[in-house]
Amino acid sequence: MTRRISDKSKQILHMGEGKGKDYVPYILTSEFNSLGTTSIITDWKTGRNIHCMSQGEAMWYFLLRWDDSNIDIREQFPLDNKITVKIADELGIKHPQDRNHIMTTDFLVTKSDNSLHAYSVKVDKNLNDRTVELLYIEREYWKYNGVPFDMLYSTDVNQVLVNNIRLITEFYNKNAIYDKYSYIKHLIAIKEIDLDLSKTVIDNRKLDEILEEIHYE
């Protein structure tokens, strides 16, 4: 049974605050488990639990986190209610739920130069009118804050790349190494071995090839 946390309680718990390993998302998967598409990912660099509300969010988290130019990713990031209400009124769009509702952005990414980039994740470009309206509010919110905002679609995901990242990052930390295969996955995860993960399926056959190349004994 799921239990929604009130906005007042979220503020008391400092949800939607912090950075890096200390960040707490404004929405937790435990509030929406009945949807069946939520997932929690353990960030391989900080160990923090990442709360994804869809499989598309999970896939894009792996892709964004794999990019070393992205140094922090805050999921389910809360937007300032006063600003979203003002934008909705100006656009003539009904604010979601009620005028006290806190909207969120799927990912707020901090780049290596400390600039920010906001992203919303959708399955594909076939969006209904109401979804488009809410995205207008979100887009204008980030424009108001001087932050680039873009859409990410599940249909654009390279499944080979995502599956490979998911596989090898389990061995990012040295204490996860237990055999020759996990050792190679660790080296790929920390990028000591340069491999095009977008095309090559990382299976034992491929790992054996790499082991032979580096003369592993």
Side-chain angles (χ1 to χ4, degrees):
M1 182 177 180
T2 59
R3 183 175 66 86
R4 295 294 300 273
I5 304 172
S6 69
D7 288 328
K8 183 176 181 180
S9 295
K10 289 174 185 284
Q11 292 168 7
I12 293 173
L13 295 170
H14 300 287
M15 295 172 67
E17 300 179 21
K19 294 182 180 180
K21 65 181 179 60
D22 298 318
Y23 175 72
V24 181
Y26 197 74
I27 303 174
L28 305 179
T29 57
S30 59
E31 298 180 72
F32 291 92
N33 273 347
S34 60
L35 294 178
T37 58
T38 61
S39 60
I40 296 178
I41 300 169
T42 301
D43 180 81
W44 57 92
K45 294 184 178 181
T46 65
R48 183 173 75 80
N49 285 337
I50 310 301
H51 291 249
C52 296
M53 299 300 128
S54 68
Q55 292 304 305
E57 285 187 21
M59 291 188 295
W60 273 107
Y61 182 83
F62 279 108
L63 295 174
L64 290 169
R65 190 57 164 149
W66 183 249
D67 184 344
D68 289 334
S69 69
N70 300 326
I71 62 173
D72 191 20
I73 302 176
R74 287 173 282 180
E75 77 280 18
Q76 324 310 331
F77 188 85
L79 310 185
D80 187 320
N81 170 262
K82 292 181 180 179
I83 298 176
T84 59
V85 168
K86 181 175 184 292
I87 291 171
D89 288 345
E90 291 175 349
L91 294 174
I93 296 173
K94 184 179 182 298
H95 196 270
Q97 296 191 29
D98 59 54
R99 295 175 70 85
N100 294 317
H101 177 70
I102 305 296
M103 295 181 65
T104 59
T105 283
D106 294 330
F107 295 125
L108 180 60
V109 176
T110 303
K111 311 292 290 185
S112 56
D113 62 0
N114 285 320
S115 64
L116 299 174
H117 201 133
Y119 296 96
S120 178
V121 180
K122 300 298 178 188
V123 175
D124 54 40
K125 296 180 181 179
N126 296 316
L127 307 174
N128 62 44
D129 291 344
R130 181 54 176 161
T131 298
V132 172
E133 287 182 344
L134 299 182
L135 287 171
Y136 275 142
I137 297 175
E138 194 174 352
R139 181 194 66 184
E140 290 303 306
Y141 177 90
W142 289 115
K143 182 178 179 180
Y144 174 87
N145 284 279
V147 175
F149 172 76
D150 283 303
M151 298 294 301
L152 300 172
Y153 301 101
S154 301
T155 50
D156 291 337
V157 168
N158 181 322
Q159 294 288 346
V160 172
L161 177 56
V162 169
N163 291 338
N164 282 335
I165 295 172
R166 190 193 307 266
L167 173 67
I168 65 170
T169 51
E170 292 182 18
F171 304 95
Y172 181 84
N173 295 307
K174 286 184 178 181
N175 58 11
I177 299 173
Y178 63 89
D179 64 3
K180 61 181 181 180
Y181 293 124
S182 59
Y183 171 68
I184 293 300
K185 290 175 185 176
H186 169 71
L187 293 182
I188 299 172
I190 64 174
K191 302 185 179 180
E192 284 196 11
I193 291 180
D194 185 15
L195 198 63
D196 185 355
L197 301 182
S198 66
K199 299 177 181 179
T200 305
V201 176
I202 306 300
D203 55 17
N204 285 355
R205 179 181 299 180
K206 181 60 183 178
L207 294 175
D208 281 330
E209 292 177 8
I210 298 173
L211 287 164
E212 186 174 343
E213 290 176 5
I214 66 173
H215 306 291
Y216 178 88
E217 296 182 359

